[in-house]
Structures are given as structure tokens and as C-alpha cells.
Amino acid sequence: MKILSSGCSNFIYVLLGCLVVYHMWLGSKAVKTGLPYLTHYDEPFLSTAALNSLKTGRITPEFVENCYGGFMRYTCVAIDWVYFQFVKNDPRYKVATIADIKTNQEGHFRTLNVTGFYFWNRMWVILLGAGCLCWVFLIARQFTNGYLALLAACLLQVNYEFFVHSLYTTVDVPMCFWALATVWAALRFHLSRYLGYLFLSLVFGAMAASTKFTGALVLMVPLQAFLYNLSVFKTYPVSKIIFTLAGLGFTPILVFLAWNPAVYLNYGEFSYWVKWIADAYKTGGGHFSKESGWPHALFQWQCFSSSLNINSRYLVIPVPMLSLAGVLVGSFDLGNNKKSPNTWQMISLVFVFPAIYFFYMTQQRIAYHRNFVLLYPFLCIGFAIFCFSIYQVAEPIRKKYFSKLPSWGWSVAFGIILLGLTLHGKGYGRFFYDLPTVTKDTRTSTLQNLPKLVDSAPEKMHVGIAHELRIAEEDLQNLPYAWQIIPHQALKEASAQFTHLLVGEYASFDEPFKSTDDSLNRLTLQQSTAYKLATIPGNKMMRDFYKLEPMVSPVIHILKGGLETYKLADVQKLHTVEFKNLALSETKSIFRVNLSKNHHYLLQIACFGELAPGSKLQVILNKEVVAHLNLSPLNYQKLYFIAQKDQENLPVQLKLVSSKLSQTALQDQKLYVQLVSWSKVLNPGDSQYWVFVK
């Protein structure tokens, strides 16, 4: 392969600039995702740690924050300080002093009262991601022409995994930036033998290690370049050689220490947490993990294939496989049938490091794919090399049979075809045709749209919000209705003073946590039996002691309040019955009811205790089976119906049926049945059955 170290046309650089601007614009559209809630596990350890450093003046990190390199922490501190200068005199933000900034020191681990700090920290990562596109172009340009180098950058930009990890203040994309910079500087040294590039490569490698400690592996690249070019030192006197070697050795160490003062200011705590995170990666440490070695490697390779493969209706291009082929084939000059003396060294400078990094990380058990985001740029570069190898084979054919076609025609053809496939491929088109909008947390969207969801005038609303939902201060600002935060456990007693209640739902766990979580769920279910208006779907909340876990878009139940609500809604409890030991196949007449035309009725049934498997309850109105309800403990079933005419003495009956041959399906357990009527429509929310009683 011919090494193309010369420049390319200004038009290519204009296109690269457009790609960078597009990446920044697209990132700015999506970077508010989740705010004002921190939904990424790692983000508080960097952004919140930076704010705490700004608040307290503490230089060294605390606790698990030691597991993260200092580069992102201290650059975020600088960004936060600059942003604070802009907002401290703005009364909208209420941060006249640094002490007014709220973090986990004043509340929950993920508490924040000014989201602008986190927004600009994220934009910093977006900028570093744009820098990665430039590095990919410059590295690929050493092996291909400008169009295919641009294709490598485009392929990285439209990659879902890379883009998503550019939206949060984490260390993976920033480490990727410095690792690519290290490789580029080492390539420049190898081609020019200018010693300044080697020092620059060592500085960049130390920056990668200062961002994420595993980034220290990239320092092998300048070491390779140094060994490949030992002849540079032949003409140096001994004193200069010693001085140069000392400079090369101490440069990365000094850079690393400058960004990580905890190494010498608080070595005991620093070494403890670094050992802790190393052990966690080796053993899995309760995180998402795979068996180390081949099972882990296969899993990550499947992730690469799923994210990078180009799939269209007529063609499938396995990009990771072709990238490996490009690395192997690219080591030879296919166009001239002559091996280039520099090619294998150049290829090794770019691709030996990611291969060793992949091997090292798959020897660990923790299997988060974000640890492998670093490899996506190298796969894109390898794919561009593969395409260029095809171009070298095809070029003699063009000269012989299609000489009238310009020489750059192949590059344009490859660029248009492959980029077109990329844009229309599964998983990529979303960024061009369905631009990512800000994903709002269920708490934000519920509070903003609550009057519409419950069809109520804001001035008549008084909303009780469960404290366990951890509502952000920003969401509570400028709400058009009155609100109050109350403990989840106090909902039952406090519900009478509110028109509406917002509560969450907990995940169920085994003992000893089950009793606590289930008690909170039981309160929710008991309240929602008669009063639930709607459920905003989401994720169940984690147990209380999991303070570090992010709460992402929790399930939110919107309930009607207590006594005041009944008066407003003109609701009447017509009948309430309780009975035990309902025999199998027995038809039980529970009550008779008088119905009024156009009135709405709710029949709700609750069972407490265990039921025989396969039990179902038939609901019979006026001797007609209108529903089959599945019963389970604490599972409230509802049946809504509307009377189309006045009726008197309408019988309501229940019949228990089961697919199992048991004598009694409901034994020594309580069954509650209640009939409620109201004269005006209240949105029934998630009702399963609407029955028109004629």
C-alpha cells in the first residue's frame, strides 16, 4: 500500500468542517437528554465531583471518584467556574454564591438545582467527540485518499454507540480523543522523524491515561515509533541521547501527575480505590459481566457487528469483518505488487494498540460496552483502508478500459454508494431523518402536562407529590398549580387535602427488602383502587438503600385526592361487600343495584391472599357474563360500565372458575367488592373493560 502523507484538496476539508459542525449541532439538540435528572451511572462522579471541588476548594477526589482520571474532573471545574460567572447575578438561577449550588452535599446523590453546569460539561464531551472525527480523518488520510478518509469520519459520526456516549459527561469519548491524538502524533514522527512529534505523542498518551486509567495502554504506540526509528539517534552524542531519553521517560509521568494530584497528596486513598476498581473489573463486582476470555470477546464483537454493520434492502456490509480484512490486506502494496518498507510499521502503529486493548479488556469480567467505544474509530479507519485496497485494484482497470473517467471518480463513487448505504442502514438513518429530540424524564413530562392529563383547571389543583420520586427543583419552578412534597408513607393520611397525588411504584425484591418495598406498593395500590386517573409508563423505582443507582423515568401513578375530590366529582359509593371461601363454579349474588341513565359505574374487586393457579372471576350483569377477571394478591381489577337507561334492582353476580381441579379456589382469604358511581366523566385511565348496560 502506498503511504499517502500528502495533503488533499480544500474541498475535502470543507466537507470535514461541515461534518464537525453537523456533529456539534446534532449533539446540542440531544445533549439535554434526561435533564434535570442524571440518568447515567458515571456522570455524578465527574460533573458533581467537579461542582463539589468548586464549592469546597478541595483538589483531591473523594471515595470512588479516585477511580476516574483527573482530566475530565478539572476541566469541568474550569467550565463550571466560567458558567458561574454568567449566572451568579441572574435572579432566575438563585446562585448568587458558590454555596448556593446544590449537589449531593445538600441532598440526594443526583440532586442538582442548576442544570446549566451539566449541560456545558456535556457540550465539552460533544466537542471532544467532534475532535475524534478529525483525528480519524487525519489518520485514515495516511493510508487512503481524502474521500475515503472522509468516509471513515462519516462512518464514525453516524455510529449510534459513539454518538450516544458523546451525550454524557463520562470518560470514554474523551479518552478516545487522546488515544487517537497519540496515534496521529506517533505516525507523524514515524514519517518525518521529527522528535517533537514523539514528545507530543507521549503527552497525548499521558492525557489518555489521565482521562481513564486504562488509556495508559496507548503509550505503547510512541514506544513502538521510538523502536522503529532508533537510527535517528545514531548521530546524537551520548550526552544528548541521555538527555533525550530522560525527557521521553519523564514527560508522560509529569503530565499524569499534573492531572492527578491525588497520587502524591493522598496516595493511600488513591491506591485503595484504584485497587478496588481493578478488582471489580476482574471479578465482576456485582456489575453486568461476562465470563472473561472468549465469551466476553464474542459478546463485544457481536455488539460491534450490531452497531457498525451496514444493512440495506439489497446489500449487507459487515464493516468490522472488512475492517480486519483492510488491516491485513493494507499491509501490502496491491497496486504496485511491491511491499512498501513503511507499510507494515504504519499499520502496526495504528492497529496493534486497539488489538491489545481489546484483548486486555475482554480478560476482565465487567462487560459494559462503553469500555469498548475506543475501538470504533479504529474499525472505521480499517474499513476505509479496505475500500482503498479495492480502489488500488480497480484503478488499473479504469486506466485500461475507462481512461476517459477521471482518476478521482472511483473515490466519489465509493463515497456516494457507501455513505448512501450508511444513511439508509438500520440504526443510522435516525440521526438524519428522525433527529434526536430531548428525551424528557417521566417526572418532567408529567408535571408539565398534569392539568391536561387530568382535565382540570390549574387554579383548582393542589397536588401532593411523593418524596420518593426525587423531583428536581427545576421541575417544580413556575408550575401553574399548588404542590407539596410529602413522604410516600403519608399519602393515605394526607390525601384528603389534595386534589391529585403523584406516586411511584417500587420494584419487588426478596427478603429482607420485600416487606419495605411491598408496603409502599400496597399504599399505592390501595390509593389507586378507586382514584387512579392514569399511569405514566416507565421503570419501577429501586429500593431506598441503592443511593447510587440512577432513577430513570419512573412509573408515575396519577391519583385523585381524597374527600374534596369526591365532592368535586360527585362520586357515590353504592355498595361494598366482603366475603370469604368462594367455592369453585359457585355463582354468588353480591348485590342488586339501581342504575341511572348515562351514569358511569365502576366495579372494583380486590383479593388479599393466595389463590389457586388458573383462577378467574366471571362478572355477571343482568344474567350475562360481561368479563373474565384475573385475580392475584393485591391486584385490583376494575370494570367500568355505563347505563343507557334507568334500571332498578339489577343483579350483580360473581362466579369463580378455574382450569385446575380444586374443590375451592378461594379459601380462607378475603374478597372485597365495591361499586362506585359518578355523574360526570372522570378519565378512567388504564381501564380494561367498558360495558354498556342496556
Side-chain angles (χ1 to χ4, degrees), residues 449-462:
N449 300 301
L450 188 57
K452 294 180 181 179
L453 292 172
V454 299
D455 192 22
S456 178
E459 61 272 12
K460 295 182 180 180
M461 296 171 59
H462 187 197

Side-chain angles (χ1 to χ4, degrees), residues 26-179:
L26 193 62
S28 67
K29 300 283 286 185
V31 79
K32 290 184 179 180
T33 296
L35 293 178
Y37 302 98
L38 301 181
T39 57
H40 194 287
Y41 182 88
D42 286 345
E43 199 163 21
F45 296 109
L46 293 170
S47 285
T48 303
L51 282 174
N52 285 336
S53 295
L54 189 65
K55 284 163 60 72
T56 64
R58 181 185 173 97
I59 298 178
T60 56
E62 295 183 293
F63 307 116
V64 75
E65 296 168 4
N66 284 279
C67 300
Y68 302 82
F71 169 73
M72 283 303 297
R73 182 185 309 110
Y74 298 120
T75 53
C76 286
V77 169
I79 293 170
D80 292 342
W81 184 85
V82 172
Y83 181 71
F84 173 72
Q85 304 308 311
F86 284 94
V87 301
K88 65 181 181 180
N89 296 321
D90 192 331
R92 293 176 300 172
Y93 297 98
K94 300 178 182 179
V95 285
T97 65
I98 290 178
D100 294 328
I101 303 171
K102 291 185 179 180
T103 63
N104 58 313
Q105 294 183 343
E106 290 80 21
H108 185 265
F109 181 67
R110 296 175 186 275
T111 295
L112 59 155
N113 62 334
V114 181
T115 59
F117 293 107
Y118 295 83
F119 172 82
W120 289 109
N121 288 171
R122 290 180 176 186
M123 285 303 298
W124 171 226
V125 180
I126 286 286
L127 181 62
L128 292 174
C132 290
L133 305 181
C134 298
W135 290 130
V136 165
F137 172 84
L138 293 174
I139 294 172
R141 184 66 189 91
Q142 304 299 321
F143 303 95
T144 71
N145 58 39
Y147 292 100
L148 292 178
L150 185 63
L151 175 64
C154 288
L155 192 60
L156 178 63
Q157 199 285 320
V158 298
N159 177 257
Y160 177 78
E161 291 290 338
F162 179 80
F163 183 80
V164 166
H165 285 89
S166 298
L167 299 180
Y168 300 98
T169 310
T170 58
V171 295
D172 300 293
V173 170
M175 181 188 71
C176 184
F177 173 88
W178 292 115

Side-chain angles (χ1 to χ4, degrees), residues 530-576:
Y531 316 143
K532 185 161 69 172
L533 295 179
T535 295
I536 309 302
N539 305 303
K540 291 187 177 182
M541 296 156 57
M542 300 297 290
R543 48 187 182 259
D544 283 342
F545 74 94
Y546 248 15
K547 296 296 185 183
L548 301 185
E549 287 293 331
M551 186 192 297
V552 183
S553 290
V555 175
I556 297 180
H557 296 294
I558 304 175
L559 313 179
K560 275 288 185 179
L563 299 177
E564 294 181 12
T565 300
Y566 280 130
K567 295 175 183 177
L568 291 172
D570 192 22
V571 174
Q572 298 178 357
K573 295 181 181 179
L574 301 182
H575 295 278
T576 300

